[in-house]
Amino acid sequence: MPGVTESNEEGERVKNNHNRIIMVDDNITNLTTAKNLLSNTYDVFTAPSATKLFLLLEKLTPDLILLDIEMPEMNGYEVIEKLKSNESTADIPVIFLTANIDPESEVKGLELGAIDYITKPFSRELLLKRIEVHLLIVAQRKTLEDYSQNLEQKVRDKTKEVVGLKNAILRTIAELVESRDNITGGHIERTQVYLNMLVGFLRSSNVYADEISMLDNNFFIMSSQLHDVGKIAIDDNILKKPGKLTPEEFEVMKKHTIKGMEIIQKIEATTPESVFLKYAKILAGTHHEKWDGSGYPFGLKGENIPLQGRLMAIIDVYDALTNDRPYKKAFSHEESMEVIRSGRGAHFDPLLCDIFLQYEKEFNAAKANSHINTHDGVEWELPPQTVATIMEAVEVIKNYSGDILQS
């Protein structure tokens, strides 16, 4: 820091606006000469042996080391090997200063990691220029590394921002759908929690291991927010009817699966290919299919139903059973589990049903301990601060749904 000084064992003071250089040589005359040559430009520290060098390195980190080769106890080659093997000193640039002029010595020094090789005796101008050039290279490299790290951080921040915006759009669209069916408030949050739990239990139980391994779990769970997006196209008189639907009304309600797929296709047409939209379309279109083929909209049977749809079928029914709906009061957990148990092999995939039943206590605990907010019959209003971020996505739905969704 500016104004702070340090001293080495010889009482040399550090001027922090200068680069630090350590000169290592067993010849005191060479040390004195180098210090006199460099001290006007750099903070120079001297060490008469390798032992003194490593003691000095415990106190400070220099910008450059000038290292003699021929020294007692430990020669320059041994010193640089030790420097490069230590993480804290490996990046300190080293220039060899030596009277050896044979090419083999020079090559050996460079192979061990030295950045330059200067023969003695040396001129003041040559030494200063070589040091200047190498310190400039080091500084430029550091600048590039800092720039690269800053750029990587900016990319991470921007990616996080884009992902956050995407999640906000998805969440708001999902809430827009849910707000039209406000008695089921919290359904989206709860089903995400349960779905994530069920996928985790499948992984640990090694059930459908190949298919599960191919799922991008983050995108899959995130996409489940749109499984009921087709309800945006269902008339309120049917969607909120406080009683059993007529056969004709039920046929209309069933169309929310197809409508959901078509809405997501419309969104896909305005955005680059996306894994989470692919998952969302599968969930929207298949979460009401049944194992025995009696579900809708396609009447798919068994493993012809995508695994995503089979997973969502159990989760969706469990949450519907354990919460109030316009046409019924909430069932207890025990009553709900009996319904699911009776649907094994008919409504639900037997293997998935077995896993769900095996971990029923965990699902019950998640339901009991969740702090998911519900709408409690209060009309939901779009927060003003999110309007700008969702307008494009909502316009896609509005343009698709026509007169059914009013602005």
PDB file of all heavy atoms in Angstrom, residues 215-242:
ATOM      1  N   LEU A 215     -32.055 -37.039 -18.516  1.00  0.00           N
ATOM      2  CA  LEU A 215     -32.807 -35.823 -18.193  1.00  0.00           C
ATOM      3  C   LEU A 215     -31.863 -34.730 -17.707  1.00  0.00           C
ATOM      4  O   LEU A 215     -30.982 -34.975 -16.891  1.00  0.00           O
ATOM      5  CB  LEU A 215     -33.840 -36.089 -17.096  1.00  0.00           C
ATOM      6  CG  LEU A 215     -35.123 -36.831 -17.453  1.00  0.00           C
ATOM      7  CD1 LEU A 215     -35.975 -37.002 -16.198  1.00  0.00           C
ATOM      8  CD2 LEU A 215     -35.914 -36.092 -18.516  1.00  0.00           C
ATOM      9  N   ASP A 216     -32.057 -33.531 -18.197  1.00  0.00           N
ATOM     10  CA  ASP A 216     -31.413 -32.365 -17.602  1.00  0.00           C
ATOM     11  C   ASP A 216     -32.340 -31.922 -16.474  1.00  0.00           C
ATOM     12  O   ASP A 216     -33.362 -31.288 -16.708  1.00  0.00           O
ATOM     13  CB  ASP A 216     -31.239 -31.252 -18.636  1.00  0.00           C
ATOM     14  CG  ASP A 216     -30.449 -30.075 -18.091  1.00  0.00           C
ATOM     15  OD1 ASP A 216     -30.772 -29.628 -16.965  1.00  0.00           O
ATOM     16  OD2 ASP A 216     -29.540 -29.590 -18.777  1.00  0.00           O
ATOM     17  N   ASN A 217     -31.974 -32.287 -15.250  1.00  0.00           N
ATOM     18  CA  ASN A 217     -32.901 -32.135 -14.126  1.00  0.00           C
ATOM     19  C   ASN A 217     -33.345 -30.690 -13.923  1.00  0.00           C
ATOM     20  O   ASN A 217     -34.522 -30.414 -13.664  1.00  0.00           O
ATOM     21  CB  ASN A 217     -32.274 -32.670 -12.834  1.00  0.00           C
ATOM     22  CG  ASN A 217     -33.310 -32.986 -11.778  1.00  0.00           C
ATOM     23  OD1 ASN A 217     -34.149 -33.852 -11.963  1.00  0.00           O
ATOM     24  ND2 ASN A 217     -33.278 -32.263 -10.673  1.00  0.00           N
ATOM     25  N   ASN A 218     -32.406 -29.752 -14.047  1.00  0.00           N
ATOM     26  CA  ASN A 218     -32.764 -28.347 -13.818  1.00  0.00           C
ATOM     27  C   ASN A 218     -33.809 -27.871 -14.824  1.00  0.00           C
ATOM     28  O   ASN A 218     -34.809 -27.253 -14.453  1.00  0.00           O
ATOM     29  CB  ASN A 218     -31.520 -27.459 -13.901  1.00  0.00           C
ATOM     30  CG  ASN A 218     -30.600 -27.649 -12.721  1.00  0.00           C
ATOM     31  OD1 ASN A 218     -31.032 -28.028 -11.633  1.00  0.00           O
ATOM     32  ND2 ASN A 218     -29.317 -27.400 -12.912  1.00  0.00           N
ATOM     33  N   PHE A 219     -33.565 -28.158 -16.102  1.00  0.00           N
ATOM     34  CA  PHE A 219     -34.518 -27.742 -17.130  1.00  0.00           C
ATOM     35  C   PHE A 219     -35.846 -28.477 -16.982  1.00  0.00           C
ATOM     36  O   PHE A 219     -36.914 -27.908 -17.189  1.00  0.00           O
ATOM     37  CB  PHE A 219     -33.945 -27.981 -18.535  1.00  0.00           C
ATOM     38  CG  PHE A 219     -32.957 -26.944 -18.968  1.00  0.00           C
ATOM     39  CD1 PHE A 219     -31.959 -27.256 -19.879  1.00  0.00           C
ATOM     40  CD2 PHE A 219     -33.018 -25.655 -18.477  1.00  0.00           C
ATOM     41  CE1 PHE A 219     -31.046 -26.296 -20.284  1.00  0.00           C
ATOM     42  CE2 PHE A 219     -32.108 -24.681 -18.879  1.00  0.00           C
ATOM     43  CZ  PHE A 219     -31.118 -25.012 -19.789  1.00  0.00           C
ATOM     44  N   PHE A 220     -35.766 -29.750 -16.624  1.00  0.00           N
ATOM     45  CA  PHE A 220     -36.979 -30.549 -16.505  1.00  0.00           C
ATOM     46  C   PHE A 220     -37.877 -30.004 -15.389  1.00  0.00           C
ATOM     47  O   PHE A 220     -39.073 -29.781 -15.589  1.00  0.00           O
ATOM     48  CB  PHE A 220     -36.617 -32.008 -16.234  1.00  0.00           C
ATOM     49  CG  PHE A 220     -37.795 -32.899 -15.948  1.00  0.00           C
ATOM     50  CD1 PHE A 220     -38.908 -32.903 -16.773  1.00  0.00           C
ATOM     51  CD2 PHE A 220     -37.792 -33.736 -14.843  1.00  0.00           C
ATOM     52  CE1 PHE A 220     -40.005 -33.717 -16.499  1.00  0.00           C
ATOM     53  CE2 PHE A 220     -38.871 -34.549 -14.561  1.00  0.00           C
ATOM     54  CZ  PHE A 220     -39.981 -34.539 -15.390  1.00  0.00           C
ATOM     55  N   ILE A 221     -37.299 -29.787 -14.212  1.00  0.00           N
ATOM     56  CA  ILE A 221     -38.091 -29.279 -13.094  1.00  0.00           C
ATOM     57  C   ILE A 221     -38.620 -27.886 -13.408  1.00  0.00           C
ATOM     58  O   ILE A 221     -39.782 -27.563 -13.141  1.00  0.00           O
ATOM     59  CB  ILE A 221     -37.260 -29.264 -11.797  1.00  0.00           C
ATOM     60  CG1 ILE A 221     -36.747 -30.675 -11.467  1.00  0.00           C
ATOM     61  CG2 ILE A 221     -38.085 -28.709 -10.646  1.00  0.00           C
ATOM     62  CD1 ILE A 221     -37.831 -31.720 -11.322  1.00  0.00           C
ATOM     63  N   MET A 222     -37.763 -27.043 -14.003  1.00  0.00           N
ATOM     64  CA  MET A 222     -38.185 -25.699 -14.356  1.00  0.00           C
ATOM     65  C   MET A 222     -39.346 -25.722 -15.360  1.00  0.00           C
ATOM     66  O   MET A 222     -40.301 -24.945 -15.259  1.00  0.00           O
ATOM     67  CB  MET A 222     -37.012 -24.913 -14.933  1.00  0.00           C
ATOM     68  CG  MET A 222     -37.343 -23.479 -15.326  1.00  0.00           C
ATOM     69  SD  MET A 222     -35.869 -22.540 -15.794  1.00  0.00           S
ATOM     70  CE  MET A 222     -35.362 -23.423 -17.276  1.00  0.00           C
ATOM     71  N   SER A 223     -39.279 -26.646 -16.315  1.00  0.00           N
ATOM     72  CA  SER A 223     -40.303 -26.693 -17.361  1.00  0.00           C
ATOM     73  C   SER A 223     -41.663 -27.121 -16.835  1.00  0.00           C
ATOM     74  O   SER A 223     -42.690 -26.845 -17.450  1.00  0.00           O
ATOM     75  CB  SER A 223     -39.856 -27.655 -18.473  1.00  0.00           C
ATOM     76  OG  SER A 223     -39.908 -29.003 -18.029  1.00  0.00           O
ATOM     77  N   SER A 224     -41.685 -27.791 -15.680  1.00  0.00           N
ATOM     78  CA  SER A 224     -42.965 -28.268 -15.147  1.00  0.00           C
ATOM     79  C   SER A 224     -43.895 -27.124 -14.789  1.00  0.00           C
ATOM     80  O   SER A 224     -45.104 -27.319 -14.632  1.00  0.00           O
ATOM     81  CB  SER A 224     -42.728 -29.158 -13.919  1.00  0.00           C
ATOM     82  OG  SER A 224     -42.215 -28.403 -12.831  1.00  0.00           O
ATOM     83  N   GLN A 225     -43.355 -25.909 -14.680  1.00  0.00           N
ATOM     84  CA  GLN A 225     -44.194 -24.745 -14.420  1.00  0.00           C
ATOM     85  C   GLN A 225     -45.246 -24.543 -15.514  1.00  0.00           C
ATOM     86  O   GLN A 225     -46.292 -23.938 -15.264  1.00  0.00           O
ATOM     87  CB  GLN A 225     -43.339 -23.480 -14.332  1.00  0.00           C
ATOM     88  CG  GLN A 225     -42.347 -23.472 -13.183  1.00  0.00           C
ATOM     89  CD  GLN A 225     -41.478 -22.225 -13.217  1.00  0.00           C
ATOM     90  OE1 GLN A 225     -41.856 -21.191 -12.703  1.00  0.00           O
ATOM     91  NE2 GLN A 225     -40.315 -22.329 -13.827  1.00  0.00           N
ATOM     92  N   LEU A 226     -44.965 -25.038 -16.701  1.00  0.00           N
ATOM     93  CA  LEU A 226     -45.862 -24.804 -17.835  1.00  0.00           C
ATOM     94  C   LEU A 226     -46.775 -25.996 -18.121  1.00  0.00           C
ATOM     95  O   LEU A 226     -47.445 -26.004 -19.146  1.00  0.00           O
ATOM     96  CB  LEU A 226     -45.042 -24.482 -19.092  1.00  0.00           C
ATOM     97  CG  LEU A 226     -44.208 -23.198 -19.039  1.00  0.00           C
ATOM     98  CD1 LEU A 226     -43.500 -22.971 -20.365  1.00  0.00           C
ATOM     99  CD2 LEU A 226     -45.068 -21.996 -18.692  1.00  0.00           C
ATOM    100  N   HIS A 227     -46.839 -26.977 -17.218  1.00  0.00           N
ATOM    101  CA  HIS A 227     -47.612 -28.175 -17.559  1.00  0.00           C
ATOM    102  C   HIS A 227     -49.107 -27.875 -17.726  1.00  0.00           C
ATOM    103  O   HIS A 227     -49.799 -28.576 -18.467  1.00  0.00           O
ATOM    104  CB  HIS A 227     -47.388 -29.285 -16.523  1.00  0.00           C
ATOM    105  CG  HIS A 227     -48.082 -29.081 -15.218  1.00  0.00           C
ATOM    106  ND1 HIS A 227     -47.546 -28.309 -14.208  1.00  0.00           N
ATOM    107  CD2 HIS A 227     -49.268 -29.546 -14.741  1.00  0.00           C
ATOM    108  CE1 HIS A 227     -48.361 -28.309 -13.172  1.00  0.00           C
ATOM    109  NE2 HIS A 227     -49.410 -29.050 -13.460  1.00  0.00           N
ATOM    110  N   ASP A 228     -49.606 -26.841 -17.063  1.00  0.00           N
ATOM    111  CA  ASP A 228     -51.022 -26.492 -17.185  1.00  0.00           C
ATOM    112  C   ASP A 228     -51.246 -25.204 -17.966  1.00  0.00           C
ATOM    113  O   ASP A 228     -52.320 -24.605 -17.870  1.00  0.00           O
ATOM    114  CB  ASP A 228     -51.645 -26.333 -15.789  1.00  0.00           C
ATOM    115  CG  ASP A 228     -52.202 -27.644 -15.242  1.00  0.00           C
ATOM    116  OD1 ASP A 228     -52.474 -28.556 -16.036  1.00  0.00           O
ATOM    117  OD2 ASP A 228     -52.340 -27.754 -14.012  1.00  0.00           O
ATOM    118  N   VAL A 229     -50.251 -24.782 -18.763  1.00  0.00           N
ATOM    119  CA  VAL A 229     -50.383 -23.506 -19.457  1.00  0.00           C
ATOM    120  C   VAL A 229     -51.585 -23.481 -20.405  1.00  0.00           C
ATOM    121  O   VAL A 229     -52.151 -22.419 -20.687  1.00  0.00           O
ATOM    122  CB  VAL A 229     -49.077 -23.178 -20.232  1.00  0.00           C
ATOM    123  CG1 VAL A 229     -48.889 -24.102 -21.432  1.00  0.00           C
ATOM    124  CG2 VAL A 229     -49.053 -21.716 -20.650  1.00  0.00           C
ATOM    125  N   GLY A 230     -52.034 -24.652 -20.872  1.00  0.00           N
ATOM    126  CA  GLY A 230     -53.185 -24.708 -21.777  1.00  0.00           C
ATOM    127  C   GLY A 230     -54.480 -24.241 -21.136  1.00  0.00           C
ATOM    128  O   GLY A 230     -55.452 -23.903 -21.827  1.00  0.00           O
ATOM    129  N   LYS A 231     -54.522 -24.176 -19.804  1.00  0.00           N
ATOM    130  CA  LYS A 231     -55.731 -23.698 -19.132  1.00  0.00           C
ATOM    131  C   LYS A 231     -56.031 -22.240 -19.445  1.00  0.00           C
ATOM    132  O   LYS A 231     -57.143 -21.775 -19.204  1.00  0.00           O
ATOM    133  CB  LYS A 231     -55.606 -23.892 -17.618  1.00  0.00           C
ATOM    134  CG  LYS A 231     -55.738 -25.338 -17.173  1.00  0.00           C
ATOM    135  CD  LYS A 231     -55.711 -25.455 -15.656  1.00  0.00           C
ATOM    136  CE  LYS A 231     -55.935 -26.891 -15.199  1.00  0.00           C
ATOM    137  NZ  LYS A 231     -55.907 -27.012 -13.723  1.00  0.00           N
ATOM    138  N   ILE A 232     -55.036 -21.518 -19.961  1.00  0.00           N
ATOM    139  CA  ILE A 232     -55.246 -20.138 -20.341  1.00  0.00           C
ATOM    140  C   ILE A 232     -56.306 -20.035 -21.431  1.00  0.00           C
ATOM    141  O   ILE A 232     -56.935 -18.993 -21.623  1.00  0.00           O
ATOM    142  CB  ILE A 232     -53.919 -19.501 -20.803  1.00  0.00           C
ATOM    143  CG1 ILE A 232     -53.975 -17.977 -20.655  1.00  0.00           C
ATOM    144  CG2 ILE A 232     -53.571 -19.883 -22.216  1.00  0.00           C
ATOM    145  CD1 ILE A 232     -53.820 -17.485 -19.250  1.00  0.00           C
ATOM    146  N   ALA A 233     -56.501 -21.134 -22.159  1.00  0.00           N
ATOM    147  CA  ALA A 233     -57.451 -21.138 -23.272  1.00  0.00           C
ATOM    148  C   ALA A 233     -58.783 -21.786 -22.907  1.00  0.00           C
ATOM    149  O   ALA A 233     -59.620 -22.015 -23.780  1.00  0.00           O
ATOM    150  CB  ALA A 233     -56.838 -21.865 -24.476  1.00  0.00           C
ATOM    151  N   ILE A 234     -59.001 -22.086 -21.624  1.00  0.00           N
ATOM    152  CA  ILE A 234     -60.255 -22.703 -21.176  1.00  0.00           C
ATOM    153  C   ILE A 234     -61.137 -21.631 -20.537  1.00  0.00           C
ATOM    154  O   ILE A 234     -60.678 -20.845 -19.702  1.00  0.00           O
ATOM    155  CB  ILE A 234     -59.980 -23.831 -20.156  1.00  0.00           C
ATOM    156  CG1 ILE A 234     -59.048 -24.877 -20.765  1.00  0.00           C
ATOM    157  CG2 ILE A 234     -61.280 -24.479 -19.696  1.00  0.00           C
ATOM    158  CD1 ILE A 234     -59.563 -25.545 -22.021  1.00  0.00           C
ATOM    159  N   ASP A 235     -62.380 -21.635 -20.921  1.00  0.00           N
ATOM    160  CA  ASP A 235     -63.327 -20.637 -20.419  1.00  0.00           C
ATOM    161  C   ASP A 235     -63.479 -20.733 -18.905  1.00  0.00           C
ATOM    162  O   ASP A 235     -63.510 -21.824 -18.331  1.00  0.00           O
ATOM    163  CB  ASP A 235     -64.689 -20.842 -21.101  1.00  0.00           C
ATOM    164  CG  ASP A 235     -65.644 -19.709 -20.778  1.00  0.00           C
ATOM    165  OD1 ASP A 235     -65.651 -18.714 -21.525  1.00  0.00           O
ATOM    166  OD2 ASP A 235     -66.372 -19.834 -19.775  1.00  0.00           O
ATOM    167  N   ASP A 236     -63.595 -19.551 -18.241  1.00  0.00           N
ATOM    168  CA  ASP A 236     -63.728 -19.515 -16.787  1.00  0.00           C
ATOM    169  C   ASP A 236     -64.936 -20.289 -16.282  1.00  0.00           C
ATOM    170  O   ASP A 236     -64.912 -20.849 -15.182  1.00  0.00           O
ATOM    171  CB  ASP A 236     -63.834 -18.064 -16.304  1.00  0.00           C
ATOM    172  CG  ASP A 236     -62.465 -17.395 -16.212  1.00  0.00           C
ATOM    173  OD1 ASP A 236     -61.462 -18.096 -16.418  1.00  0.00           O
ATOM    174  OD2 ASP A 236     -62.413 -16.180 -15.958  1.00  0.00           O
ATOM    175  N   ASN A 237     -66.012 -20.300 -17.052  1.00  0.00           N
ATOM    176  CA  ASN A 237     -67.228 -20.995 -16.614  1.00  0.00           C
ATOM    177  C   ASN A 237     -66.989 -22.486 -16.425  1.00  0.00           C
ATOM    178  O   ASN A 237     -67.655 -23.136 -15.610  1.00  0.00           O
ATOM    179  CB  ASN A 237     -68.363 -20.773 -17.612  1.00  0.00           C
ATOM    180  CG  ASN A 237     -68.837 -19.335 -17.635  1.00  0.00           C
ATOM    181  OD1 ASN A 237     -68.805 -18.654 -16.612  1.00  0.00           O
ATOM    182  ND2 ASN A 237     -69.264 -18.865 -18.809  1.00  0.00           N
ATOM    183  N   ILE A 238     -66.035 -23.017 -17.189  1.00  0.00           N
ATOM    184  CA  ILE A 238     -65.680 -24.433 -17.049  1.00  0.00           C
ATOM    185  C   ILE A 238     -64.540 -24.589 -16.051  1.00  0.00           C
ATOM    186  O   ILE A 238     -64.587 -25.438 -15.165  1.00  0.00           O
ATOM    187  CB  ILE A 238     -65.286 -25.023 -18.415  1.00  0.00           C
ATOM    188  CG1 ILE A 238     -66.494 -25.010 -19.356  1.00  0.00           C
ATOM    189  CG2 ILE A 238     -64.716 -26.427 -18.268  1.00  0.00           C
ATOM    190  CD1 ILE A 238     -66.178 -25.465 -20.765  1.00  0.00           C
ATOM    191  N   LEU A 239     -63.537 -23.737 -16.172  1.00  0.00           N
ATOM    192  CA  LEU A 239     -62.342 -23.857 -15.339  1.00  0.00           C
ATOM    193  C   LEU A 239     -62.667 -23.689 -13.857  1.00  0.00           C
ATOM    194  O   LEU A 239     -62.102 -24.379 -13.002  1.00  0.00           O
ATOM    195  CB  LEU A 239     -61.318 -22.807 -15.770  1.00  0.00           C
ATOM    196  CG  LEU A 239     -59.912 -22.928 -15.173  1.00  0.00           C
ATOM    197  CD1 LEU A 239     -59.236 -24.212 -15.608  1.00  0.00           C
ATOM    198  CD2 LEU A 239     -59.061 -21.719 -15.580  1.00  0.00           C
ATOM    199  N   LYS A 240     -63.600 -22.801 -13.541  1.00  0.00           N
ATOM    200  CA  LYS A 240     -63.903 -22.498 -12.135  1.00  0.00           C
ATOM    201  C   LYS A 240     -65.253 -23.047 -11.685  1.00  0.00           C
ATOM    202  O   LYS A 240     -65.754 -22.653 -10.623  1.00  0.00           O
ATOM    203  CB  LYS A 240     -63.872 -20.982 -11.923  1.00  0.00           C
ATOM    204  CG  LYS A 240     -62.513 -20.351 -12.188  1.00  0.00           C
ATOM    205  CD  LYS A 240     -62.524 -18.865 -11.868  1.00  0.00           C
ATOM    206  CE  LYS A 240     -61.155 -18.245 -12.091  1.00  0.00           C
ATOM    207  NZ  LYS A 240     -61.112 -16.815 -11.723  1.00  0.00           N
ATOM    208  N   LYS A 241     -65.817 -23.928 -12.460  1.00  0.00           N
ATOM    209  CA  LYS A 241     -67.134 -24.454 -12.108  1.00  0.00           C
ATOM    210  C   LYS A 241     -67.069 -25.179 -10.759  1.00  0.00           C
ATOM    211  O   LYS A 241     -66.289 -26.103 -10.571  1.00  0.00           O
ATOM    212  CB  LYS A 241     -67.615 -25.417 -13.186  1.00  0.00           C
ATOM    213  CG  LYS A 241     -69.027 -25.955 -12.918  1.00  0.00           C
ATOM    214  CD  LYS A 241     -69.504 -26.852 -14.049  1.00  0.00           C
ATOM    215  CE  LYS A 241     -70.898 -27.402 -13.739  1.00  0.00           C
ATOM    216  NZ  LYS A 241     -71.419 -28.261 -14.825  1.00  0.00           N
ATOM    217  N   PRO A 242     -67.899 -24.785  -9.781  1.00  0.00           N
ATOM    218  CA  PRO A 242     -67.880 -25.401  -8.441  1.00  0.00           C
ATOM    219  C   PRO A 242     -68.696 -26.681  -8.379  1.00  0.00           C
ATOM    220  O   PRO A 242     -69.614 -26.806  -7.580  1.00  0.00           O
ATOM    221  CB  PRO A 242     -68.489 -24.307  -7.569  1.00  0.00           C
ATOM    222  CG  PRO A 242     -69.461 -23.633  -8.482  1.00  0.00           C
ATOM    223  CD  PRO A 242     -68.846 -23.658  -9.849  1.00  0.00           C
TER     224      PRO A 242
END
